[in-house]
């Protein structure tokens, strides 16, 4: 039986991933870990919840021992925009935190570890369209630097010590349960909340900014699919390109307008525009498709309709 620990369980992906894993493996077998943010009642009451800090390995080991954990989904991270405001914090949480997790996995011979990466590993010198799996990794953000180093560290632990670490380069994730915190792609979530509540949104990237995105159900499915994939079929481990859908901020606003005709979107690019401009527009994820059968289910119209259906009753 798998006993799973989810770090960053109060965050955008962690909160929904924890609930999905609890449904799949049993509530008592999935331990949610937070640092200080209060978890939702749902998360708190549906299974074990503990506070610990990924930069303090002893606090993690105590939880692993208490629950006899053999698998970790390591979702705790500082995202790109906050990472540019607080680069030292991003380095500490993203890189020292990851080192602690893979080192604990090595020492305790854990079965498997999920270490998310991001499209932030790419930079201005990377081909922007249909970005290949193997390509230039020269990011210009601290977040990107920690993600490139994290991929290399994770692959090192696999090759050198046999720790089964797996990871995906997440695009921007769009979801209706928990708001993202501090990323460059957050506008693609905020726009729904503001369109439903106020019929207006001021977007912090230009109308023609195209970034790779993914709807949460696809994100959760991809994450668990990779973790359950047959190891003998994997040629890559910690750095799978992952594609869902790509659209410009203007195309997203136009799709929302089909459901909310009064919606008005304005554009006032801020410092996050430079980060967005350094990332790709579309991603080639053929390695994920070939090695573990990945294929996304949501396109822009389906994702938009589902977001509005889910959020409208809560926000109006
Ligand atoms: C961010 O915008 O920082 C994240 C990411 C693409 O990794 N959503």
């Amino acid at each position: 039986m798998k006993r799973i620990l989810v770090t960053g369980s109060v965050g955008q992906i962690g909160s929904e991933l924890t609930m999905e894993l609890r449904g799949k493996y049993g509530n008592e077998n999935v331990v949610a870990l937070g640092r200080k943010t209060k978890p939702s009642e749902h998360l708190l009451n549906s299974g074990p919840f503990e506070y610990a800090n990924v930069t303090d390995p002893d606090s993690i080991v105590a939880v692993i021992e208490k629950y006899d954990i053999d698998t970790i989904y390591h979702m705790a991270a500082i995202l790109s925009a906050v990472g540019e405001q607080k680069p030292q914090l991003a380095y500490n949480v993203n890189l020292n935190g990851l080192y602690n997790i893979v080192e604990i996995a090595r020492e305790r011979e854990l079965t498997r570890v999920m270490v998310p990466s991001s499209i932030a590993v790419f930079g201005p010198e990377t081909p922007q369209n249909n970005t290949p799996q193997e390509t230039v990794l020269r990011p210009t953000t601290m977040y990107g630097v920690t993600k490139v180093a994290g991929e290399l560290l994770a692959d090192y632990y696999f090759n050198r010590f046999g720790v089964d670490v797996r990871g995906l380069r997440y695009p921007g994730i769009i979801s209706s349960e928990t708001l993202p915190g501090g990323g460059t792609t957050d506008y693609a979530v905020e726009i729904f909340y503001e369109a439903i509540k106020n019929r207006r949104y001021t977007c912090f990237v230009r109308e023609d900014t195209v970034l790779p995105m993914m709807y949460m159900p696809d994100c959760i499915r991809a994450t668990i699919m990779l973790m359950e994939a047959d190891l003998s079929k994997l040629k890559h481990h910690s750095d799978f390109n992952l594609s869902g859908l790509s659209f410009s901020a203007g195309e997203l606003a136009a799709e929302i307008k089909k459901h909310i005709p009064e919606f008005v979107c304005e554009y006032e690019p801020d410092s996050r525009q430079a980060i967005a401009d350094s990332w790709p527009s579309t991603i080639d994820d053929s390695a994920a498709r070939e090695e573990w059968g990945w294929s996304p289910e949501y396109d822009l119209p389906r994702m938009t309709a589902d977001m509005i259906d889910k959020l409208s009753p809560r926000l109006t």
Side-chain angles (χ1 to χ4, degrees):
M1 172 63 81
K2 279 192 180 142
R3 304 296 297 278
I4 297 171
L5 178 68
V6 183
T7 74
S9 72
V10 183
Q12 186 197 13
I13 302 177
S15 55
E16 293 198 42
L17 179 64
T18 303
M19 295 313 300
E20 184 70 23
L21 292 170
R22 283 184 175 164
K24 198 171 165 61
Y25 296 110
N27 286 351
E28 67 289 357
N29 292 320
V30 181
V31 181
L33 199 76
R35 193 172 64 87
K36 59 176 192 211
T37 310
K38 206 168 163 280
S40 65
E41 292 295 308
H42 196 36
L43 194 64
L44 193 60
N45 297 332
S46 59
F49 183 90
E50 297 281 345
Y51 283 108
N53 187 340
V54 296
T55 64
D56 170 11
D58 292 344
S59 72
I60 304 292
V61 166
V63 177
I64 287 180
E65 283 182 351
K66 179 171 171 189
Y67 293 96
D68 194 19
I69 297 293
D70 65 11
T71 300
I72 303 179
Y73 285 74
H74 177 46
M75 311 309 288
I78 302 291
L79 298 184
S80 56
V82 170
E84 285 315 280
Q85 286 153 12
K86 300 177 182 169
Q88 296 79 7
L89 177 71
Y91 185 95
N92 193 25
V93 172
N94 295 1
L95 219 38
N96 292 333
L98 172 60
Y99 173 77
N100 291 334
I101 295 290
V102 290
E103 198 35 26
I104 290 168
R106 179 190 69 79
E107 278 170 2
R108 296 181 173 262
E109 298 183 352
L110 301 192
T111 311
R112 200 159 289 170
V113 182
M114 161 57 66
V115 174
S117 185
S118 161
I119 53 164
V121 294
F122 304 120
E125 294 153 70
T126 308
Q128 233 192 347
N129 292 310
N130 213 21
T131 302
Q133 176 70 44
E134 311 321 327
T135 187
V136 183
L137 302 181
R138 287 185 173 277
T140 47
T141 60
M142 176 55 96
Y143 177 62
V145 168
T146 65
K147 289 296 174 186
V148 174
E151 287 183 358
L152 294 172
L153 187 67
D155 275 350
Y156 178 84
Y157 268 70
F158 175 74
N159 292 318
R160 174 79 165 80
F161 302 119
V163 180
D164 187 355
V165 191
R166 304 177 181 197
L168 298 158
R169 291 172 176 157
Y170 286 132
I173 305 299
I174 299 169
S175 66
S176 56
E177 290 304 311
T178 308
L179 279 165
T184 303
T185 57
D186 292 10
Y187 67 87
V189 183
E190 288 172 9
I191 192 171
F192 284 98
Y193 282 74
E194 295 307 312
I196 294 167
K197 280 193 298 194
N198 303 319
R199 306 302 199 232
R200 294 193 85 80
Y201 179 59
T202 305
C203 183
F204 58 77
V205 296
R206 278 190 324 268
E207 187 173 3
D208 64 353
T209 304
V210 179
L211 286 175
M213 301 279 177
M214 178 170 279
Y215 194 35
M216 187 61 94
D218 274 340
C219 167
I220 302 288
R221 204 165 49 83
T223 306
I224 297 177
M225 268 179 89
L226 174 58
M227 280 295 264
E228 292 187 341
D230 180 350
L231 180 61
S232 68
K233 300 226 165 71
L234 300 185
K235 297 190 197 94
H236 298 83
H237 293 278
S238 318
D239 59 357
F240 280 100
N241 274 7
L242 185 69
S243 183
L245 53 159
S246 283
F247 48 77
S248 70
E251 283 165 337
L252 176 59
E255 193 61 37
I256 293 173
K257 228 172 141 49
K258 290 184 190 164
H259 299 261
I260 307 172
E262 323 86 88
F263 176 53
V264 175
C265 190
E266 288 166 320
Y267 301 88
E268 283 178 19
D270 66 16
S271 58
R272 289 168 281 191
Q273 183 69 55
I275 303 177
D277 288 343
S278 75
W279 290 351
S281 300
T282 56
I283 301 285
D284 172 5
D285 63 359
S286 42
R289 289 170 186 263
E290 278 156 28
E291 292 175 43
W292 46 277
W294 171 242
S295 173
E297 283 176 358
Y298 283 84
D299 59 11
L300 180 59
R302 188 169 172 214
M303 178 275 288
T304 304
D306 202 55
M307 279 292 279
I308 292 174
D309 270 5
K310 293 225 161 71
L311 285 175
S312 294
R314 297 210 312 257
L315 299 178
T316 48

